[in-house]
Amino acid sequence: AGKSATTQRQMALPILTAAAVAITECVEKYDVPLVVVTENTRGRSDDQCDQNYCWTNVSTAVPSLPAGTPHLTFETDIDQLCKNETTRGVITIGAPASLQPGIDQFYTNSLKMQRSCDLFSRMLVRRGGIKVNATHVYGVECVFLGDSSSQLQVANATSRLVHSEAGGMSSADFLLGPYGSGLTTYASKQAVLDSKLMIAPASSDHAVYSSAAALAQENGLGLRVFGMLPGSENWARRGFEAVLKAAEDCDTGCDAGGECDCQKECVRRAGVASCLGALRVGYVEEEDTFPRAVCGSAQREWGDAKVRILTAPADAAGTGVVANATVPKWSSVSGDEYRREMRSALEHLLDEGATVVLVCSYEAGGIVAVEELERLGLEEEEKDYSPLATILTTTMLNDEYVDRMMRGWWQGEYALQAVPWDASMTSEVGAFSGWDSAKYKDEYLRAFDLPNQTYPAKVEWVGAGTFAALCTLGDAIERAGSLETAAVASALRSTSLVEFFTSNISFNADGQMEEMDFPVVQYPPGAAAAGQADYEVVFDAKERENVSFPTPTWKLRRCLNEGNCSGGNGKCRFDGGCDCHPGFSGGLCQDATSPTSSNRGVVTLIAALASGLIALCLCGGLCYLRLRRRRRHLKGIIRDAERDFARWEPPAGPRKGSLHRSVTLALMSRSKRGTPPWELAKAHEARVISAMGLPDGRYHVFLSHVWSSGQDQAKALKGQLQRYVQNISPFLDVDNLDDTARLEEHVGNSEAVIVLLTGSTAVADGAPASDYMRSRNCLRELRAAVERKRPLILLLETDPSHGGVPLDVHRAECPDELREYVFAAPLVTWHRLRPFQMCSMRLLIVELLRAWKAAGADEPIFLPGDLLRSPPPPLATRKEFHVYYSASNAGAAEVAESIGEASDGRLRSTDDPAQARSTCAFLLYLNSSTFAPGAQAEALGCEVREALEGGRPLVLVHERRDGDVGVATFDDIIAATPAALRDAGIYRPIATPLHGGPHAEVSLRLVLGQIDALCGPRRGGLLSDALNLTENLTGVDLDGDGRVGSERSASPQTVP
């Protein structure tokens, strides 16, 4: 009894292990499907092999793991969850992971995933768990089992996490993917064979998801694997875009203001007249899954970045991609051999004249590349290789890289790397978690930043992506109302979730994240000397552009960082030599010189005059710099505000008035000393929407909601308002209420009241009810608003799984004495999908401005990132028509007409079956009558089946307009759909909801975006040219594009 807890656990471990072995021997074992991975020693090249490994599917007993394979578990404290629900339980999430420090290659990244799973289980306690059908609440249990960072073991570990009944370790309800595309490749296949849903937080290779989707289809299953990262090309593409923008900025700035240092450096080192023309790309590819995916994509899918490199000014031969080389997989050779191979690869890039180096590798490879680049730049006088830019992948945030930077490793500065997420960036408030990036960072450090840790807590994208993956899974479980795999997978397929990790989590047809704009980070000059290793985001989607470019030569960098010019007695040159200041001489400016006695008097007089002149210049210069810095600071405030907040449309000409004064006052409030209006008047004309100033204790808006079904929405709404309206102060009870007796007082101290109308549906009879109107405190708030004549704005939740019930239900249950006043207020509908939610926020802000009687309340406004700010897509296509719709699809003609109007007349549609092959998409309108029994539905089903068999893509539009007689839930439509069509994949594309009112334009714009993506021009190439030539010779349309050969349509809307 006197022993410590640690000692007791050590004593108990052998006993528990023996008991586990005994129990396992008693379990009735039976065969299970298993992915068996072997090394590709014979050099096979087929669908089941890559360069390193092959796999096959067998039926066998649950596989064993090496003796001593570790495992660990994190679990929600289920006793702390809300106790009002009928049932509480635990969802088991199994995860193969690298658990052996100092042994497993991916241990540190796996540790971040483990910590985020632990943090997620704690967050659920505060959130109230994962809620299913308002009757069940669940916590989670994360079970991690060692995969040894090995493709040969990861499938075995995945299988053991699923089949406890056959001798495995657990019976996981869902799976979390391991770190990296290489391991996820085989873990995902095992998940499919076990028909378990896996969500992968750290895998970006397209092939992982396409092969898992194909395997699922072979086994008669829907999607089972989903990934939180977009395609691997983003790791290269965003780095190249940052370099391109920096080169363009250098050229543009020099053209405008004469010759400058950055352009001189490009000219000197590349022998061309511009930095953009100097970009010649070479890349080194490590022979592993993720690096091959990045560099393989880099050859084919840089998109705009590659096009701009290849079409750069032709003042240098060989502009574009000039060289590539490969190095072996890090773990397959010794460290010395890997270093020799990296040196050889970089020498090849040097010989080919590459000025931009991309290193596609895992963590260790990037460090070796930087070291070998330094040696080429310093040790080899005849080589002196110093690229203008170096781009790494998954390296700079690695523990070893960071540790070196903290110890003064200046060689790690200047390199660029794209990352999926960074904690320093402003983010949305998560719809499921209720956290933004800053909150996640604070909670992560509070939980894991403990003293004397071997592996300190670091807030990086791997952990954030894991946390967001679990939030996405939790959201899908709640929307599915079930833990059944197929139902949750279906919910994931239609996900459009806002979380701090990214503002729109959604998945493509293979289950991979649709898109993300990775920020680009860089350790700036001097970071290593500071000893803090603080990298900076230098390029992101919010137009942050601060890339240090071009990278100085290695010799200049060594001189600057190692004080070669005797600690300030001279200035370093690009070749590493020293230009000495007056009074010093020598190769390193180490020798001080003194004037002779004959001219000492003259020197003294000149020195005195020079000192006075310098002092005068310094005073004038300091005054100028202070004014310039002040002006730049004010411009920066205005620029950041206009980028981040809602704003009015820019005026046609200069305008100053009440709006200008409101912005001036808002900006003055952000300065400690205040800023005279005349200074701001000289700055840009800001049109930011800013809430008026209020005395302490007053609020701009009171958020009235019922906790049972509206608390999450109210929290998210507060975050959105603060995101888009500058200086706004919303009242939310969980943040601002200290005494419920003061509810009426707080309503009276608010300038407006937003009434969040939510309800619920009875489990017994399905009857909807208004939770808001049945809440005593909500009615107190409503009566206080009516008595004090506070402006009301009604916000109606539309999603039934989050408290959405018809407006008439709320109206019917509203007390008679309040009904007329309340329902005379303006109404805004609230939607979950991001584009529609942006529209709702814009409408809500307009109503707030009207409630405040703000100047300019009736002028049009827009929000950053609003879909409707951009013009309709061009709809360029070589086809005769864009879409075909069936005459048997009632209502489709009207929908096509509406889409055509939204496209400014660009859309060409037809219902002629003879023209169906001359279109690039089949428009299918889904409502209650689409597949209602009858001859019309049978005819439509035949046409849809023919389109699916012919490979023509579908564009699905789901009727959601209030009051439309054809409105039906998507579940009802799926149930009415013939089974043959469901099996053929009719619902693989995501259906776009067709909303009414102000949201209709958003629906139509989303549909146009799908059509444009399907109809846009495809890449040509040798095969395309050959097909066109054959068509010209035979007169037969071979590729089904509605044209013979390369002939063009006479229509002005057709783009070749």
Side-chain angles (χ1 to χ4, degrees):
K3 299 183 186 296
S4 68
T6 302
T7 304
Q8 292 179 26
R9 284 195 296 269
Q10 291 173 345
M11 295 175 61
L13 184 59
I15 301 173
L16 293 174
T17 303
V21 170
I23 293 172
T24 302
E25 291 176 351
C26 294
V27 173
E28 180 182 357
K29 298 183 179 180
Y30 56 85
D31 288 350
V32 297
L34 179 66
V35 172
V36 176
V37 183
T38 57
E39 293 184 355
N40 187 3
T41 56
R42 299 183 179 180
R44 286 175 54 190
S45 178
D46 52 51
D47 291 343
Q48 291 189 285
C49 291
D50 59 25
Q51 293 182 12
N52 300 314
Y53 299 99
C54 295
W55 71 278
T56 187
N57 173 16
V58 302
S59 182
T60 182
V62 172
S64 60
L65 295 177
T69 297
H71 70 274
L72 55 89
T73 301
F74 302 107
E75 183 175 355
T76 303
D77 187 351
I78 195 71
D79 292 332
Q80 297 299 317
L81 292 180
C82 178
K83 299 180 180 180
N84 294 328
E85 279 77 4
T86 304
T87 304
R88 288 177 291 161
V90 175
I91 298 170
T92 300
I93 299 175
S98 303
L99 303 180
Q100 302 175 98
I103 299 175
D104 292 348
Q105 179 182 355
F106 301 133
Y107 172 77
T108 56
N109 283 311
S110 185
L111 179 62
K112 295 161 193 169
M113 298 170 68
Q114 297 160 37
R115 286 172 169 170
S116 280
C117 202
D118 186 5
L119 186 62
F120 178 79
S121 69
R122 304 185 197 190
M123 181 273 291
L124 286 181
V125 173
R126 296 179 232 174
R127 187 183 184 273
I130 298 174
K131 302 168 185 176
V132 179
N133 290 332
T135 59
H136 293 67
V137 62
Y138 292 92
V140 298
E141 175 190 47
C142 294
V143 180
F144 291 89
L145 183 58
D147 60 24
S148 296
S149 298
S150 169
Q151 282 90 338
L152 301 176
Q153 184 168 321
V154 68
N156 293 3
T158 306
S159 176
R160 290 187 67 84
L161 286 164
V162 173
H163 296 293
S164 65
E165 76 287 352
M169 178 183 172
S170 71
S171 294
D173 299 295
F174 304 99
L175 294 169
L176 186 70
Y179 175 78
S181 298
L183 298 180
T184 308
T185 296
Y186 303 105
S188 62
K189 290 179 172 60
Q190 185 63 49
V192 171
L193 294 182
D194 289 327
S195 191
K196 288 293 182 182
L197 191 150
M198 170 177 283
I199 187 160
S203 170
S204 59
D205 185 2
H206 291 294
V208 171
Y209 304 98
S210 60
S211 61
L215 184 62
Q217 189 172 14
E218 290 174 12
N219 286 270
L221 302 172
L223 288 182
R224 289 295 181 267
V225 180
F226 296 83
M228 296 299 293
L229 295 179
S232 300
E233 67 273 8
N234 287 276
W235 299 91
R237 176 178 65 85
R238 292 293 289 170
F240 283 117
E241 288 176 348
V243 173
L244 278 165
K245 189 64 174 67
E248 287 179 348
D249 288 348
C250 177
D251 291 340
T252 303
C254 294
D255 293 343
E259 200 172 14
C260 52
D261 290 342
C262 64
Q263 196 173 68
K264 284 181 182 178
E265 193 67 11
C266 293
V267 172
R268 187 185 63 77
R269 286 155 65 181
V272 297
S274 70
C275 282
L276 190 61
L279 302 182
R280 305 186 188 116
V281 177
Y283 62 89
V284 179
E285 174 186 315
E286 184 175 324
E287 293 179 336
D288 205 349
T289 304
F290 168 74
R292 279 199 300 266
V294 176
C295 270
S297 297
Q299 296 181 60
R300 300 184 299 273
E301 298 179 11
W302 290 344
D304 291 341
K306 180 183 176 186
V307 170
R308 291 163 66 197
I309 287 179
L310 297 178
T311 57
D315 52 7
T319 298
V321 181
V322 297
N324 66 284
T326 59
V327 294
K329 182 180 177 182
W330 168 261
S331 59
S332 67
V333 295
S334 68
D336 290 341
E337 183 177 351
Y338 185 91
R339 186 174 296 277
R340 287 194 298 271
E341 292 287 345
M342 180 64 74
R343 172 64 171 254
S344 175
L346 293 172
E347 286 178 337
H348 174 64
L349 268 57
L350 165 63
D351 295 339
E352 295 297 326
T355 60
V356 178
V357 173
L358 166 66
V359 181
C360 299
S361 70
Y362 280 114
E363 291 83 353
I367 295 176
V368 173
V370 172
E371 292 175 337
E372 292 307 313
L373 280 170
E374 180 195 11
R375 291 189 174 95
L376 283 172
L378 294 179
E379 297 176 2
E380 303 287 344
E381 293 295 332
E382 69 279 6
K383 296 183 182 298
D384 189 17
Y385 188 32
S386 297
L388 298 175
T390 302
I391 303 170
L392 305 178
T393 56
T394 71
T395 297
M396 290 169 52
L397 276 61
N398 172 262
D399 286 348
E400 182 180 352
Y401 200 102
V402 173
D403 183 61
R404 287 181 176 216
M405 293 297 297
M406 294 183 70
R407 290 186 279 111
W409 191 53
W410 54 265
Q411 293 87 338
E413 297 170 352
Y414 287 100
L416 296 165
Q417 178 181 313
V419 295
W421 171 88
D422 185 76
S424 67
M425 299 173 62
T426 302
S427 74
E428 306 284 357
V429 175
F432 183 87
S433 65
W435 292 4
D436 60 7
S437 291
K439 175 70 171 175
Y440 170 79
K441 177 181 179 180
D442 291 344
E443 294 292 340
Y444 189 94
L445 293 177
R446 183 179 294 112
F448 307 116
D449 190 17
L450 306 175
N452 302 320
Q453 288 194 114
T454 305
Y455 298 93
K458 296 178 181 177
V459 184
E460 296 171 8
W461 72 266
V462 176
T466 302
F467 191 91
L470 294 169
C471 289
T472 305
L473 178 61
D475 171 74
I477 291 171
E478 289 191 340
R479 287 187 291 110
S482 169
L483 299 185
E484 196 269 323
T485 299
V488 178
S490 178
L492 276 173
R493 183 69 184 86
S494 60
T495 292
S496 181
L497 180 67
V498 175
E499 270 300 334
F500 67 84
F501 186 66
T502 180
S503 60
N504 184 19
I505 298 175
S506 58
F507 304 103
N508 64 19
D510 289 330
Q512 188 172 16
M513 176 78 82
E514 287 279 12
E515 60 181 23
M516 286 175 68
D517 283 325
F518 285 16
V520 177
V521 300
Q522 183 180 50
Y523 289 101
Q532 295 180 347
D534 291 331
Y535 62 82
E536 296 179 357
V537 176
V538 294
F539 185 78
D540 64 11
K542 289 192 174 182
E543 302 178 0
R544 185 169 5 184
E545 298 162 3
N546 189 30
V547 178
S548 294
F549 174 89
T551 302
T553 64
W554 283 107
K555 293 177 180 178
L556 173 57
R557 292 173 65 186
R558 179 176 64 177
C559 180
L560 292 170
N561 285 279
E562 297 183 0
N564 288 357
C565 294
S566 293
N569 296 343
K571 179 181 179 181
C572 294
R573 297 195 305 268
F574 71 88
D575 61 357
C578 298
D579 289 331
C580 298
H581 295 320
F584 299 94
S585 63
L588 299 178
C589 304
Q590 72 277 15
D591 300 325
T593 59
S594 59
T596 64
S597 58
S598 61
N599 60 8
R600 186 173 288 118
V602 176
V603 170
T604 302
L605 177 62
I606 293 174
L609 292 174
S611 298
L613 182 61
I614 290 172
L616 182 63
C617 292
L618 283 175
C619 290
L622 288 173
C623 292
Y624 171 76
L625 289 175
R626 181 174 176 81
L627 291 173
R628 182 180 178 86
R629 185 181 304 165
R630 184 71 167 169
R631 183 168 177 264
R632 192 163 55 238
H633 174 67
L634 294 172
K635 284 185 177 181
I637 291 175
I638 295 173
R639 182 177 61 252
D640 291 345
E642 292 196 348
R643 182 184 65 195
D644 293 337
F645 294 102
R647 55 180 286 192
W648 281 280
E649 292 282 358
R655 169 177 180 159
K656 297 179 182 178
S658 58
L659 299 182
H660 178 268
R661 287 193 296 273
S662 70
V663 174
T664 299
L665 293 174
L667 291 175
M668 286 178 63
S669 69
R670 296 179 62 173
S671 175
K672 291 183 179 179
R673 298 184 179 180
T675 305
W678 59 268
E679 284 190 21
L680 291 174
K682 293 179 182 178
H684 297 294
E685 188 73 15
R687 303 271 292 170
V688 174
I689 296 195
S690 179
M692 61 283 193
L694 292 175
D696 290 342
R698 294 190 65 84
Y699 300 91
H700 293 104
V701 62
F702 185 100
L703 304 182
S704 179
H705 66 286
V706 60
W707 278 24
S708 61
S709 56
Q711 189 171 15
D712 292 344
Q713 297 94 314
K715 186 72 174 177
L717 177 60
K718 178 179 178 178
Q720 295 276 47
L721 288 171
Q722 292 174 323
R723 162 72 175 84
Y724 293 119
V725 181
Q726 192 179 48
N727 300 327
I728 192 170
S729 176
F731 179 94
L732 183 63
D733 51 10
V734 294
D735 296 333
N736 306 106
L737 184 63
D738 52 4
D739 185 354
T740 56
R742 299 182 61 196
L743 269 179
E744 290 81 0
E745 176 188 343
H746 290 306
V747 172
N749 288 335
S750 301
E751 299 300 310
V753 177
I754 293 178
V755 177
L756 181 55
L757 295 174
T758 57
S760 58
T761 302
V763 176
D765 57 4
S770 172
D771 293 347
Y772 183 90
M773 295 300 176
R774 295 184 179 187
S775 167
R776 184 175 64 86
N777 284 336
C778 288
L779 292 180
R780 283 176 58 195
E781 296 164 0
L782 210 54
R783 286 192 171 90
V786 173
E787 292 170 0
R788 290 164 173 77
K789 299 191 181 301
R790 288 290 175 262
L792 296 181
I793 304 170
L794 304 183
L795 187 63
L796 178 66
E797 172 63 70
T798 59
D799 188 342
S801 63
H802 289 82
V805 297
L807 180 65
D808 289 342
V809 174
H810 297 291
R811 181 183 285 109
E813 296 194 30
C814 180
D816 295 341
E817 69 276 14
L818 301 177
R819 186 177 296 118
E820 181 178 357
Y821 186 92
V822 170
F823 288 94
L827 173 70
V828 176
T829 55
W830 185 251
H831 297 272
R832 295 270 154 181
L833 293 178
R834 179 66 178 163
F836 297 105
Q837 194 174 96
M838 292 282 284
C839 180
S840 297
M841 283 303 303
R842 177 165 48 82
L843 297 171
L844 191 62
I845 292 171
V846 168
E847 295 301 337
L848 273 176
L849 291 173
R850 290 172 179 165
W852 296 337
K853 296 181 172 58
D858 293 325
E859 296 184 29
I861 70 169
F862 72 89
L863 275 59
D866 193 341
L867 177 69
L868 300 181
R869 283 291 299 152
S870 57
L875 299 181
T877 181
R878 296 178 59 188
K879 299 280 189 177
E880 183 72 26
F881 297 96
H882 294 96
V883 295
Y884 167 78
Y885 61 88
S886 172
S888 301
N889 188 185
E894 292 77 9
V895 172
E897 182 180 358
S898 299
I899 299 171
E901 293 174 356
S903 72
D904 294 337
R906 294 188 181 96
L907 182 77
R908 301 189 300 278
S909 58
T910 179
D911 62 352
D912 182 1
Q915 299 287 347
R917 289 196 61 195
S918 299
T919 65
C920 46
F922 188 123
L923 177 66
L924 183 60
Y925 172 57
L926 301 172
N927 63 6
S928 60
S929 62
T930 303
F931 292 112
Q936 197 171 24
E938 292 179 5
L940 175 61
C942 291
E943 292 191 65
V944 173
R945 185 163 51 252
E946 181 182 349
L948 292 171
E949 292 172 352
R952 280 187 289 146
L954 301 184
V955 175
L956 307 181
V957 180
H958 178 207
E959 180 60 72
R960 297 286 294 163
R961 289 173 288 190
D962 292 337
D964 191 285
V965 295
V967 172
T969 66
F970 206 74
D971 288 341
D972 291 340
I973 293 173
I974 292 176
T977 306
L981 293 181
R982 295 199 302 268
D983 295 341
I986 183 175
Y987 295 119
R988 171 165 282 195
I990 296 176
T992 300
L994 180 60
H995 292 292
H999 295 82
E1001 189 176 358
V1002 178
S1003 297
L1004 298 175
R1005 183 63 64 83
L1006 289 172
V1007 176
L1008 283 172
Q1010 290 186 43
I1011 295 172
D1012 183 62
L1014 294 171
C1015 295
R1018 302 292 193 269
R1019 279 189 186 86
L1022 184 60
L1023 179 59
S1024 176
D1025 294 341
L1027 279 173
N1028 287 331
L1029 177 60
T1030 306
E1031 289 179 351
N1032 284 327
L1033 294 174
T1034 62
V1036 178
D1037 177 17
L1038 298 175
D1039 54 9
D1041 64 357
R1043 295 286 179 272
V1044 174
S1046 58
E1047 65 183 38
R1048 304 288 190 259
S1049 169
S1051 168
Q1053 299 298 336
T1054 299
V1055 177

